[in-house]
Amino acid sequence: MALSAGTVGVGYLALGSALLFLLREPLRHPDTPGSRGFALAVLGISLWPIGLGNEYLVANPDLSVAAWNVRFLASSLIAIGWLLLSVESTTGWWPSKRALVPFVAYVGLGQAIAWSNPYHHLVLTPETTVQGTVLMTVYGPWFWVQSGVNYFLILTGTVLLAGEWLRSRGLRRRQAAILTLAVVPPVIANLLTLFGTVPIRYDLTPIGLAGSGVFLLQALYRMDLLTVVPVAREVAMAEMDDAVVTIDDEERVLDYNATADRLFAGDDVHVGMPASAFFETLPSTVYDLVLEAATHTGDGSEAESFPGETDGGAESAPDGTEVDPDPDDMEITVEMGDADRHFSVSASAVQRSIDSTAWVIVLRDITPIKRREQELEDREEELELLRQILSRVLRHNIRNKLTTIRGNADLLAEEIASGAVITDDAASADDAVTADDAASADAEDDDRSEEAMLERIEAIREATEELLGNSENAREIERIIDQRGRVVRYDLEGVVHRVVESVRRDHPDVTVSVERNGPETVTGGPGLETALRCLVENAADHNDAANPAVQVSIDGTDSETIVSVADNGPGIPDNELTVLDTNEETPLSHGSGVGLWLVKWAADSVGARLSIETKGSVSTAGSVADGGDATDTGSTATDAESTATDAESASIPDGATTVVSLHL
């Protein structure tokens, strides 16, 4: 018994409505790769039976054609959605808005031609009739053009999915397989309908679409299509940060990813080119070692050896590039642009055939790791030096000052005790001594005793103040080290004003002057005010000139700002400068305190270069603004270039014996 058009129409409407359930997952996971293309394809899959169902339920020819136009729209949506689903799920690429414009234009053009068909009959010819409620279509040329384009888009997407099916494993393989198979039922049903192979007047395509719906349900809920999306191998290789290059046994490039192309390749790169040309940015000596690590042609003992051990145990090639002599665990350093980049090189063999082998070379950028290692080494050096200062310098100073305090306290106690005895003896003196003579002697003894006690008290006070000062300086050093990495914007005039006013208040006998000829603000790490305060206080504290004077000057050039402190005192002892130059405290060579260490650490933290100039010599302790290595040059009468440079930027004012400058 033949089914009526109304029954088929109701069935198709129910089928189309049920297929809309497939939109649930892509709407829940809109950002998952493939979700947008999946949703567009499902929308077309649902509209096709819904349009046909309405067509079979109405007897009006115009309404039947309108419903057929909805089905015509559905075919384009399915084709475009399927292609976008395939491309995004296999490559991870979603086209930009500009790239989507042709698809939108294609759909719009098709609908414009379909709805204007009565004027040109390019989609449905005039021979198209209605039998009952079924539209008996005779297709025009545009229908076949658009159907051909739709089938091409579907075929392209299916080929991508089939390729992923063949290449992948596990869950990804099963997902690609079921998506590939989902195309088969509707294609067969549609072809049978188009060419009239089955003697039935109804469109069989919705039945095939129902089969696709079953496959898609399996993909969504049995294989987690839009909830677990493994990354395709091609996408992983293309997007990974490591540079990956595959070469054959004739040293030709078989494949490479975008990172390798960006870092190492030249302008004209292609598969099949010599590997040496691909790695043209690498020095030849480094390329040879990379190639040896890849092909394992040597056992490591034959690797070319270069003189000059580096800190990390690596060796230096003649061109200065660092390489690791062990080809199984190689690290190379290559100059790229204005900075050095560090790479870890590893390789694995891939058997292409019985007598052909390829090698996959992976160059991992370990520059951030190396930078972090260097920062940790610098930190360890700083902490070790801090430990030396705290354990040697402070211990030495504390022992000396405590000895001073104890000795003066003992002498003070003895003098007080002997003063009491003298007073008792004077009261019972021999009668031969007159009262006037005894009183005069007692007065002289009291004066000497009082003067001696005041000297002892002053020595104790000075020792305790120095201990307190060293303690505060040590605590300030720890604070500066802990705050490394912060960036501070300084009001330079305000910093100088606070420091100068503090020193003028504490040292009223010292003339402190300021000369300003530089910028109002500077940027750097924490510690600028600490460094300047220490410099000015030291210049005032240790100035024994008849007319002590300290001058703070600010000078600016296009490349740097120089804050200098000049004084006419005795200068900085040689042993203090030696300790700073060697950057090490030893039992036989230590400074008298931590003041200069505090200045140096503060300068390093700010990112300033510290230079100390006295008449006849210059000592510099450099640091870079980005927190990199500090490089110390020795004291320097021998370094003419350094002396000349610093003399130009921090010349000694008239009458000054020492100038300490911070080069910001």
Side-chain angles (χ1 to χ4, degrees):
M1 177 179 177
L3 294 174
S4 66
T7 302
V8 175
V10 171
Y12 281 176
L13 281 174
L15 174 61
S17 300
L19 289 172
L20 288 173
F21 175 78
L22 294 172
L23 288 173
R24 178 173 179 267
E25 290 303 318
L27 293 178
R28 289 178 59 192
H29 307 282
D31 297 327
T32 302
S35 287
R36 289 166 287 189
F38 188 93
L40 186 61
V42 166
L43 181 61
I45 289 172
S46 301
L47 284 178
W48 192 308
I50 289 174
L52 278 177
N54 282 286
E55 176 190 334
Y56 293 164
L57 291 175
V58 297
N60 186 298
D62 292 335
L63 293 178
S64 294
V65 171
W68 187 91
N69 287 342
V70 173
R71 185 207 67 78
F72 196 51
L73 169 65
S75 64
S76 297
L77 296 181
I78 292 173
I80 295 173
W82 194 254
L83 177 65
L84 295 177
L85 165 65
S86 304
V87 169
E88 190 176 17
S89 61
T90 57
T91 67
W93 177 77
W94 178 260
S96 63
K97 292 181 179 179
R98 180 176 296 180
L100 289 173
V101 168
F103 294 111
V104 176
Y106 169 69
V107 174
L109 177 63
Q111 284 298 288
I113 294 175
W115 288 95
S116 62
N117 184 72
Y119 301 101
H120 48 68
H121 300 289
L122 292 176
V123 180
L124 299 176
T125 66
E127 288 78 18
T128 299
T129 60
V130 177
Q131 293 184 0
T133 59
V134 179
L135 191 67
M136 307 302 295
T137 56
V138 179
Y139 301 120
W142 178 256
F143 172 85
W144 294 110
V145 169
Q146 186 160 330
S147 296
V149 172
N150 290 344
Y151 266 105
F152 174 77
L153 297 178
I154 292 173
L155 179 62
T156 302
T158 305
V159 168
L160 292 174
L161 292 171
E164 189 69 17
W165 179 8
L166 296 176
R167 292 189 300 270
S168 301
R169 297 179 182 178
L171 178 62
R172 183 61 183 172
R173 183 185 183 93
R174 295 194 297 273
Q175 289 177 346
I178 201 166
L179 288 176
T180 303
L181 295 175
V183 178
V184 177
V187 168
I188 294 175
N190 184 250
L191 291 176
L192 291 176
T193 300
L194 286 178
F195 296 104
T197 306
V198 179
I200 188 172
R201 60 177 182 165
Y202 301 123
D203 188 347
L204 300 177
T205 306
I207 299 175
L209 293 174
S212 289
V214 173
F215 281 110
L216 295 179
L217 279 173
Q218 291 286 321
L220 288 174
Y221 296 104
R222 293 290 299 275
M223 299 179 185
D224 301 318
L225 176 64
L226 299 181
T227 54
V228 179
V229 184
V231 180
R233 293 185 179 185
E234 289 78 4
V235 178
M237 179 175 175
E239 298 298 329
M240 65 189 303
D241 294 332
D242 298 341
V244 182
V245 182
T246 304
I247 63 174
D248 63 9
D249 44 14
E250 296 183 12
E251 299 181 18
R252 295 174 301 186
V253 175
L254 301 180
D255 195 10
Y256 57 90
N257 68 351
T259 304
D261 186 9
R262 184 179 69 255
L263 291 177
F264 302 107
D267 296 332
D268 183 19
V269 296
H270 56 272
V271 172
M273 69 185 301
S276 58
F278 185 90
F279 288 105
E280 65 177 7
T281 59
L282 291 180
S284 59
T285 51
V286 177
Y287 166 73
D288 292 341
L289 289 172
V290 171
L291 187 64
E292 183 175 358
T295 59
H296 298 284
T297 55
D299 58 3
S301 61
E302 300 177 2
E304 185 177 356
S305 179
F306 304 109
E309 283 286 329
T310 64
D311 292 340
E315 296 178 350
S316 298
D319 53 16
T321 304
E322 292 182 11
V323 297
D324 190 317
D326 182 2
D328 292 329
D329 187 19
M330 180 186 296
E331 293 181 3
I332 62 173
T333 302
V334 183
E335 183 177 352
M336 291 184 172
D338 297 332
D340 288 340
R341 300 282 291 274
H342 304 272
F343 296 92
S344 172
V345 183
S346 61
S348 58
V350 179
Q351 196 71 31
R352 303 175 65 200
S353 62
I354 296 177
D355 56 352
S356 178
T357 303
W359 288 273
V360 179
I361 306 173
V362 180
L363 297 99
R364 173 164 297 175
D365 190 350
I366 58 173
T367 303
I369 298 176
K370 287 293 186 181
R371 187 180 298 119
R372 181 59 178 164
E373 289 178 353
Q374 185 61 52
E375 290 175 356
L376 291 175
E377 289 178 4
D378 293 342
R379 180 77 169 184
E380 289 178 359
E381 290 179 1
E382 288 177 344
L383 293 176
E384 173 60 21
L385 194 53
L386 181 60
R387 186 195 64 79
Q388 293 179 19
I389 292 174
L390 295 178
S391 64
R392 292 178 181 170
V393 178
L394 291 185
R395 184 176 60 190
H396 171 84
N397 289 351
I398 289 173
R399 184 173 58 248
N400 286 348
K401 297 305 175 184
L402 288 179
T403 300
T404 300
I405 293 172
R406 185 177 62 183
N408 281 282
D410 290 343
L411 292 173
L412 185 59
E414 291 177 3
E415 289 172 358
I416 293 175
S418 82
V421 171
I422 291 173
T423 303
D424 293 339
D425 291 343
S428 58
D430 190 84
D431 292 339
V433 181
T434 66
D436 291 340
D437 291 339
S440 176
D442 287 343
E444 292 178 2
D445 290 341
D446 289 344
D447 290 341
R448 286 195 299 268
S449 178
E450 182 178 353
E451 182 179 349
M453 286 190 290
L454 290 176
E455 291 177 355
R456 307 302 182 198
I457 293 172
E458 181 63 21
I460 293 173
R461 187 188 65 80
E462 290 178 355
T464 54
E465 286 183 354
E466 186 169 342
L467 285 176
L468 287 174
N470 282 339
S471 176
E472 290 295 328
N473 287 341
R475 190 157 48 241
E476 189 69 14
I477 288 176
E478 291 180 300
R479 186 188 67 81
I480 290 173
I481 292 176
D482 289 338
Q483 292 183 351
R484 279 288 179 90
R486 289 180 52 225
V487 178
V488 181
R489 187 175 184 84
Y490 293 98
D491 175 8
L492 198 53
E493 184 174 351
V495 169
V496 172
H497 176 75
R498 286 192 298 272
V499 170
V500 168
E501 289 303 314
S502 174
V503 174
R504 285 172 176 168
R505 183 175 57 253
D506 295 338
H507 300 274
D509 57 326
V510 179
T511 301
V512 183
S513 59
V514 179
E515 288 189 1
R516 299 183 181 89
N517 187 25
E520 295 181 355
T521 61
V522 292
T523 302
L528 175 60
E529 187 164 346
T530 298
L532 186 59
R533 175 180 55 79
C534 251
L535 289 176
V536 179
E537 285 182 351
N538 285 344
D541 284 340
H542 302 290
N543 198 322
D544 56 0
N547 297 305
V550 178
Q551 176 181 298
V552 180
S553 60
I554 304 173
D555 297 300
T557 65
D558 293 338
S559 59
E560 66 177 357
T561 299
I562 305 172
V563 181
S564 302
V565 178
D567 68 86
N568 59 348
I572 301 174
D574 291 340
N575 65 315
E576 297 274 2
L577 296 178
T578 301
V579 171
L580 281 182
D581 288 336
T582 59
N583 204 43
E584 182 179 5
E585 280 282 349
T586 66
L588 297 179
S589 174
H590 55 72
S592 61
V594 295
L596 275 181
W597 281 118
L598 177 55
V599 173
K600 181 183 182 303
W601 259 310
D604 287 346
S605 176
V606 173
R609 179 170 57 87
L610 176 66
S611 68
I612 302 172
E613 183 180 2
T614 59
K615 287 187 175 179
S617 68
V618 177
S619 177
T620 63
S623 63
V624 292
D626 60 0
D629 295 347
T631 56
D632 295 337
T633 63
S635 234
T636 59
T638 59
D639 193 343
E641 181 179 354
S642 174
T643 303
T645 301
D646 287 324
E648 291 175 1
S649 60
S651 59
I652 299 180
D654 293 339
T657 57
T658 305
V659 179
V660 183
S661 302
L662 296 172
H663 301 254
L664 302 167

